[in-house]
């Protein structure tokens, strides 16, 4: 049986994964591995998958924007007949994400490339430090 500490750690991990998924913009996708890395757990793609499978009912996150590293929708083994794979494709297509004839998404075109916080801060600092030129 899991200890309360293990449950708390799992809850914190899931919260970090959900926070990363919420950042994926409309019309873009991210891989399970990418989400795990953004949540501070590089090389733990399965953990991201487990967290998404355990998403509490009613939680509003764009789960459909997370796909596998091959650019495909991962089939749900537990609920293979639920239609959720079809729903995921429908939701992505409604956002403008395109699938090729084999059901693959072009990651070069549709994969979300988040800007690291440090880069964003540097860009903001540079913009603030740059004086405006006035012609008198």
């Amino acid at each position: 049986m899991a200890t309360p500490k293990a449950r708390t750690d799992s809850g914190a991990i899931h919260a970090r994964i959900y926070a990363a998924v919420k950042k994926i913009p409309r019309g873009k996708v991210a891989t399970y591995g990418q989400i795990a890395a953004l949540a501070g757990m590089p090389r733990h793609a399965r953990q991201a998958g487990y967290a998404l499978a355990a998403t509490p009912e009613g939680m509003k996150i764009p789960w459909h924007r997370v796909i596998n590293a091959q650019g495909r929708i991962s089939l749900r083994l537990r609920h293979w007949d639920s239609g959720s794979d079809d729903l995921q494709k429908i939701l992505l297509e409604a956002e403008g994400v395109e699938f090729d004839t084999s059901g693959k998404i072009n990651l070069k075109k549709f994969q979300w490339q988040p800007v690291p916080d440090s880069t964003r801060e540097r860009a903001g600092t540079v913009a603030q430090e740059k004086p405006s030129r006035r012609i008198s």
Side-chain angles (χ1 to χ4, degrees), residues 10 13-15 17-18 41 45-56 61:
S10 176
I13 289 167
H14 287 196
I17 290 167
Y18 300 147
M41 301 178 312
R46 286 187 186 200
Q47 188 68 39
Y50 296 148
L52 288 172
T55 303
I61 62 170

Side-chain angles (χ1 to χ4, degrees), residues 75-90:
L75 300 176
R76 274 61 170 182
L77 297 179
R78 286 183 49 202
H79 303 289
W80 64 270
D81 60 347
S82 68
S84 63
D85 300 327
D86 293 334
L87 175 61
Q88 185 172 7
K89 184 176 183 188
I90 290 166

Side-chain angles (χ1 to χ4, degrees), residues 19-83:
V21 172
K22 286 180 182 180
K23 294 178 183 178
I24 306 169
R26 183 178 175 82
K28 294 292 182 182
V29 295
T31 65
Y32 290 100
Q34 183 181 1
I35 292 300
L38 289 169
M41 301 178 312
R43 303 191 51 79
H44 285 82
R46 286 187 186 200
Q47 188 68 39
Y50 296 148
L52 288 172
T55 303
E57 194 166 330
M59 179 180 273
K60 303 250 190 264
I61 62 170
W63 60 269
H64 62 283
R65 296 179 187 151
V66 184
I67 60 171
N68 69 30
Q70 289 76 42
R72 298 181 186 279
I73 291 172
S74 292
L75 300 176
R76 274 61 170 182
L77 297 179
R78 286 183 49 202
H79 303 289
W80 64 270
D81 60 347
S82 68

